[in-house]
Amino acid sequence: MISTRQEQRANLFPASLAINKKRLLNDLNAISRIGLGEHGSMTRLVFSIKELRSRQLLIHLMTQAGLKVHVDRIGNIFGRLNGGGPKAPAVIAGSHLDSVLHGGKFDGPVGVVGALEAVRTLKENKVGLPCPIEVACFVGEESSRFGFSTLGSSLLAGQVRMEDLANAVDAHGTKLEDVLASMGIYRDTLASLKRDPATVKAYLELHIEQGPILEAKKKKIGIVTAIAAPTRLKVIFTGQADHSGTTPMEMRKDALVAAAQLIGYIEEICREYSKMEQGRVVGTVGAMKIEPGVINAIPGKVELSVDIRSIAAKAKDRVAAMVKRRAREIAKQRGIALEILPIRAEHPVPLDESLLPVIREICEEKNIPYEIMPSGAGHDAMQMAKIARAGMIFIPSKKGISHSPLEWTAPEDICLGAQVLLETIVKVAYEKN
Ligand code: GLV
Ligand code: MN
Ligand code: MN
């Protein structure tokens, strides 16, 4: 008798199939030791030695698990468990191992190690699947070093043009395009990183929420509907460096006071927009370079990073336009020069509507309290959504804190998230193509 795919899944997926919690938490702890700093902070900036070491450890863990490992030119890692015929498109699950400067241990690694544990569980239990499953670790999801986010997944999804990288420079003046050129990635070879969408059945990402909703609502799982996207700018005010004791107040061309005015405006306008119906907009100036940056000189040049995000594209674009206009007004009033360099302007990304009910069904079957919600943070899923159906599973963040050493997710929540990911992978693998 020919059984349905659901029946096959029921046979192959015994109710007892469970991830190995201890192994998952051990691996997460091992990764967390790389880049550990004061007060439990985590620093694994993209292409730093620490970040490379974390990727090396992952390659080791994947190899040990018997997965077929592939590393692409930028350093994205894929650990594959074969299933189905050679042409069957893969279910990919993953996230990133790089971190922000002085961040936390959970943002990224939870999704990579959770996916690895899910696949190890399938392999150990000899669960035969109708398609391959791949664990993915994407390079450079965080924008802390170059101001450019989701680098590896953007390249994989064919979303990067060389000119997009022109203004991506780190705090030491290293250009991202030079780093890529050193790996043999330039205009002519960019396209070779792109993954054929026909080889991907779906992309799934387990991630900490990085916000306060799940904890506040006492929910254990978040099912993500859409991802807010950032517009990022570098704003440079150039006035005149001068003596702080001899220059009369009315003769100054102080670039830092201009920057301060703009920062105040960004807060004001985003507070207003956060109350509006057309979508909450948040705006942040997270980094600033002041020249000469000494106590006894008027700041002659200030470079600020501006990050504006929303789920509502129109509201985000409107706020970005208002910020640029206000910067021009401030520069004009103060008689100083202004340069605005675009870093990246992305569109908010809806996630796949057909994956949401799959995750919801798992939560309902297991009586897990869940919330259907958007993501305010960016993720590799927003790039993968451009070449495949993409879904995300959130787990609670203590007090909603993230990008901070205080970032925390309870071990039992991490294990539950990995278990839900495992079951989602199996359900999606058995969906008809
Ligand atoms: C990634 O963590 C982001 O900046 O949203
Ligand atoms: Mn992050
Ligand atoms: Mn992340």
Side-chain angles (χ1 to χ4, degrees), residues 12 33 38 85 91 165 197 199 228 245 248 252-253 261 295 321-322 341 344:
L12 290 166
R33 289 203 185 93
E38 271 182 39
V91 175
L165 306 173
T199 66
R252 294 175 180 223
K253 292 197 186 305
Q261 261 185 297
I295 193 169
M322 287 162 88
L341 303 176
R344 215 170 181 197

Side-chain angles (χ1 to χ4, degrees), residues 156 194-200 387:
L156 197 82
K194 188 167 184 230
R195 176 124 181 191
D196 177 0
T199 66
V200 189
I387 56 164

Side-chain angles (χ1 to χ4, degrees), residues 255-272:
L256 184 55
V257 185
Q261 261 185 297
L262 186 66
I263 295 169
Y265 176 76
I266 292 171
E267 186 193 43
E268 200 182 301
I269 191 72
C270 291
R271 271 179 185 249
E272 233 171 79

Side-chain angles (χ1 to χ4, degrees), residues 145-187:
R145 180 167 175 197
F146 291 104
F148 195 96
S149 64
T150 62
L151 176 64
S153 50
S154 296
L155 283 162
L156 197 82
Q159 298 297 313
V160 185
R161 293 166 309 159
M162 236 35 222
E163 44 273 37
D164 300 334
L165 306 173
N167 298 320
V169 181
D170 76 4
H172 305 287
T174 305
K175 291 179 166 182
L176 178 55
E177 56 189 0
D178 289 343
V179 176
L180 296 192
S182 75
M183 298 173 174
I185 301 170
Y186 32 84
R187 195 175 297 275

